């Protein structure tokens, strides 16, 4: 006997068989009731019925093969599952069957009608399905669980327009769900959606594009749209007359409203697809740039927001940045900065942030009044909680401040006071961009004085205790500029800024290390008793020499620049020599990077005079490679190279090596330079070589 409260396995089998038969009878009765009387009993005679049979017989196998890799709970048949399986499945979702709303079961019943019904029943079921709120997760799960996705995808191949429209309407709504997006991709929905984009029906194109916009957030979907030639078709949807874009909605005809909806759906689709670098290239070759410029002139916010999102996504590429400036888009972008829509403001600010790396674009932003709009955004305290918008606007100001004329205009708008206020924000991106903007503004003395007087310097130094690498990088840039001001340098010493900057050399991120090392150069140069200050930091010099093992050229160049300043103190140079700095520098001389060459030559010039370092550098065969630096077209490389050669020429053997390497013609050319330091260094090196030659001649004459 089975335990009390439980049924035997034979009893369970009988109940399952009975339930299955009842379910089939009920389904047949329900479907028949949905049909008109003239069509009852003729369910298998329609075209849509054959599509339905395909979805049940063929797509179940295809779906099961393609859905591997995704943990989907969707059912692929209409058989009634055991109550135990249902309970386990809903337990995983954190729900109980008893908690499911009646709407859930009603949706599943409608999907069953779609599977088993004829054309009319399918259309009626789709219409009923659209009446439900398909944006809620429980309703989306209901469709997925009963195998509705396979049916909807297969309906896209139907010859019946109403079936396809109904299926696309449902898919465009439920594809907001991430799992459903992936399932649509695995069921082979992307090629079908791409084919629909070539249909003459505008309604089909609109719904297909909206579905692509949702599904396109999946990486594989973006690749498949590109593979099946969907991008040029989506771009074509944007080609609508300018009159539709500039006419108010109330004055548009029905045909114009359809064109506007088509452009909106296409813009949304391209916004999703433009996350792929390869897709951006195909979009540009498909002629999207002039179409984007046209759509930006629209007065309809539902069109401008997605196309602006697409523009700012594409603005990461240099070709697009140039096109945006030349097509006159920046002027329209600046106009939209005054919109009441926060999402649009954010997209416009992000686009300016990305495009403003070009000087022409920065000038256009200033001439179009964009600086005033950007300052107005970050000045508005009501949007301080909108961190994405605040960060985007602050970033745009940072990039625009790279032009001196823009800084002058920003000074008139009292930008420094606003930026200093933002240094108290808790968002890392806002802090990063605010510090970046300050680093550009403090290149001018009036802003350095203003920053110090309003307490901004203390806030910057305090932020050095943070951990966000881009923020630390920008703060280091700002403090580099401030350290060139004697009064600011005194304040930085009082705030213990040098120790905090030096501690950034331990940061694992190369760019933070590089900019920290560059910040140390003016700090050590302008600090009082800098030699003792450096030696007071335990392990500081050893840390600097250790960074010469880095594989990043920017780090190496920055550290070499710092060493060239540190080594001017004899005691510090002695410590550096003990840490084998000469051997480390000698290992870098074969570089081809001009920035590293410049600072490496400067560090060698500073380290050579101590002890037998000059002879050691010659022994390590550094002279000939350094002579090769004179071939560079960078005049700064010529200056530091001449300084290094002058120090190295103090050793007779090095003079012989230089002469043999053909350095004299280069020095004879640079000795006539307008750069006084280069003149003196070149003349000094020629003097040492000439003196050695004279002594050699005298010695030869004496022997004769």
């Amino acid at each position: 006997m089975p335990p009390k409260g439980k049924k035997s396995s034979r009893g369970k089998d009988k109940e399952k068989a009975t339930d299955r038969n009842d379910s089939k009878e009920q389904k047949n009765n329900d479907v028949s009731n949905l049909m008109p009387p003239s069509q009852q009993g003729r369910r298998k005679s329609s075209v849509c019925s054959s599509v339905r049979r395909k979805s049940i017989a063929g797509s179940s196998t295809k779906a099961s093969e393609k859905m591997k890799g995704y943990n989907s709970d969707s059912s692929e048949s209409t058989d009634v599952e055991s109550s135990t399986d249902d309970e386990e499945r809903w337990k995983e979702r954190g729900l109980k069957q008893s908690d499911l709303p009646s709407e859930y079961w009603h949706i599943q019943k409608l999907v069953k009608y779609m599977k088993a019904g004829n054309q009319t029943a399918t259309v009626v079921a789709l219409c009923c399905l659209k009446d439900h709120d398909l944006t809620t997760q429980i309703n989306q799960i209901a469709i997925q669980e009963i195998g509705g996705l396979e049916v909807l995808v297969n309906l896209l191949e139907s010859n019946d327009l109403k079936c396809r429209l109904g299926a696309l309407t449902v898919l465009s709504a439920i594809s907001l769900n991430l799992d459903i997006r992936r399932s649509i991709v695995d069921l082979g929905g992307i090629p079908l959606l791409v084919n629909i984009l070539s249909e003459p029906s505008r309604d089909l194109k609109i719904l297909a594009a909206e579905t692509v916009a949702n599904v396109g957030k999946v990486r594989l979907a973006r690749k498949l749209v590109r593979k099946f030639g969907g991008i040029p078709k989506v771009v074509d949807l944007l080609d609508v007359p300018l009159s539709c874009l500039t006419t108010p909605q109330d004055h548009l005809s029905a045909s114009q409203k359809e064109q506007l909806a088509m452009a909106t759906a296409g813009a949304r689709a391209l916004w999703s697809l433009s996350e792929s670098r390869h897709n951006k290239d195909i979009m540009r070759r498909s002629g999207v740039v002039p179409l984007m410029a046209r759509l930006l002139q629209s007065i309809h916010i539902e069109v401008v927001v997605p196309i602006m999102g697409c523009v700012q996504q594409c603005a990461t590429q240099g070709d697009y940045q140039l096109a945006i400036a030349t097509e006159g888009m920046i002027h329209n972008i600046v106009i939209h900065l005054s919109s009441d829509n926060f999402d649009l403001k954010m997209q416009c600010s992000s686009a300016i942030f990305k495009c403003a790396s070009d000087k022409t674009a920065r000038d256009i932003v200033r001439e179009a009044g964009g600086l005033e709009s950007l300052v107005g955004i970050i000045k508005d305290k009501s949007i301080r909680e909108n961190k994405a918008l605040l960060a985007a606007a602050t970033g745009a100001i940072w990039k625009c401040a790279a032009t001196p004329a823009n800084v002058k205009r920003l000074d008139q708008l009292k930008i420094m006071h606003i930026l200093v206020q933002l240094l108290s924000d808790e968002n890392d991106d806002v802090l990063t961009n605010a510090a970046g903007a300050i680093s550009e503004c403090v290149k001018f003395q009036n802003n350095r004085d203003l920053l110090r007087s309003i307490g901004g310097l203390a806030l910057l130094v305090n932020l050095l205790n943070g951990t966000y690498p881009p923020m630390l990088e920008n703060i280091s840039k700002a403090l580099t500029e401030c350290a060139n001001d004697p009064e600011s340098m005194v304040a930085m010493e009082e705030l213990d800024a040098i120790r905090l900057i030096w501690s950034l050399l331990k940061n694992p991120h190369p760019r933070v290390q590089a900019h920290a090392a560059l910040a140390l150069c003016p700090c050590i140069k302008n600090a009082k008793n800098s030699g003792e200050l450096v030696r007071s930091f335990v392990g500081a010099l050893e840390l600097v020499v250790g960074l010469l093992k880095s594989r990043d050229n920017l780090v190496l160049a920055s550290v070499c620049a710092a060493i060239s300043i540190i080594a001017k103190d004899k005691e510090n140079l002695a410590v550096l020599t003990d840490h084998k700095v000469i051997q480390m520098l000698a290992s870098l001389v074969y570089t081809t990077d001009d920035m590293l060459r410049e600072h490496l030559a400067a560090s060698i010039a500073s380290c050579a005079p101590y002890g037998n370092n000059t002879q050691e550098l010659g022994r390590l065969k550094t002279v000939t490679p350094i002579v090769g630096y004179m071939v560079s077209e960078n005049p700064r490389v010529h200056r530091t190279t001449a300084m290094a050669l002058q120090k190295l020429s103090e050793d007779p053997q090095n003079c012989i090596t230089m002469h043999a390497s053909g350095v004299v013609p280069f020095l004879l050319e640079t000795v006539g330079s307008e750069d006084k330091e280069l003149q003196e260094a070149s003349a000094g090196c020629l003097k040492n070589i000439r003196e050695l030659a004279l002594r050699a001649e005298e010695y030869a004459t004496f022997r004769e």
Side-chain angles (χ1 to χ4, degrees), residues 314-501:
C314 295
T316 55
Q317 295 187 347
D319 292 336
Y320 275 101
Q321 291 173 4
L322 179 61
I324 289 170
T326 54
E327 288 286 339
M329 281 189 251
I330 293 180
H331 181 75
N332 289 316
I333 292 173
V334 170
I335 291 175
H336 292 307
L337 278 175
S338 302
S339 170
D340 294 331
N341 187 293
F342 286 167
D343 288 337
L344 181 55
K345 283 185 175 182
M346 185 188 69
Q347 301 297 346
C348 292
S349 300
S350 298
I352 293 175
F353 171 75
K354 295 172 182 177
C355 293
S357 56
D358 177 64
K359 183 181 182 302
T360 303
R362 294 195 295 268
D363 292 338
I364 296 174
V365 171
R366 181 185 70 255
E367 293 166 0
L371 297 178
E372 289 82 357
S373 299
L374 290 170
V375 172
I377 291 173
I378 67 172
K379 191 177 181 180
D380 187 359
K381 294 185 179 180
S382 63
I383 61 101
R384 290 292 170 90
E385 295 303 319
N386 190 337
K387 301 303 180 184
L389 173 57
L390 189 61
T394 313
I397 291 174
W398 165 25
K399 295 300 182 180
C400 289
T403 298
N406 288 353
V407 175
K408 184 177 180 180
R409 179 61 187 137
L410 290 170
D411 288 345
Q412 296 172 357
L413 298 171
K414 299 182 179 180
I415 189 63
M416 289 298 293
H417 291 83
I418 304 172
L419 293 174
V420 168
Q421 291 176 8
L422 293 178
L423 291 178
S424 301
D425 199 276
E426 68 277 3
N427 184 271
D428 286 338
D429 291 328
V430 174
L431 291 171
T432 300
N433 294 339
I438 290 174
S439 69
E440 295 293 341
C441 292
V442 294
K443 291 180 180 179
F444 301 91
Q445 182 61 43
N446 64 309
N447 286 328
R448 289 197 288 264
D449 296 337
L450 182 58
L451 179 69
R452 186 179 65 255
S453 63
I454 61 179
L457 195 57
L459 291 173
L460 283 174
V461 173
N462 185 53
L463 288 174
L464 288 173
N465 294 305
T467 57
Y468 189 53
M471 179 187 70
L472 296 175
E473 178 184 339
N474 284 349
I475 292 172
S476 297
K477 291 179 182 178
L479 293 178
T480 301
E481 300 296 334
C482 291
N484 291 316
D485 175 43
E487 295 184 16
S488 297
M489 189 63 235
V490 172
M492 288 173 62
E493 286 189 72
E494 294 174 354
L495 295 167
D496 200 18
I498 300 177
R499 180 185 62 81
L500 292 172
I501 295 172

Side-chain angles (χ1 to χ4, degrees), residues 231 234-236 238 270 279-295 307 310-311 314 320 329:
I231 293 178
V234 178
V235 171
D236 288 341
L238 305 184
L270 288 178
N279 288 355
K280 292 176 189 177
D281 294 336
I282 296 177
M283 286 164 55
R284 180 172 48 81
R285 292 197 294 268
S286 300
V288 76
V289 174
L291 295 176
M292 289 194 301
R294 185 192 304 172
L295 292 182
I307 201 64
C310 183
V311 169
C314 295
Y320 275 101
M329 281 189 251

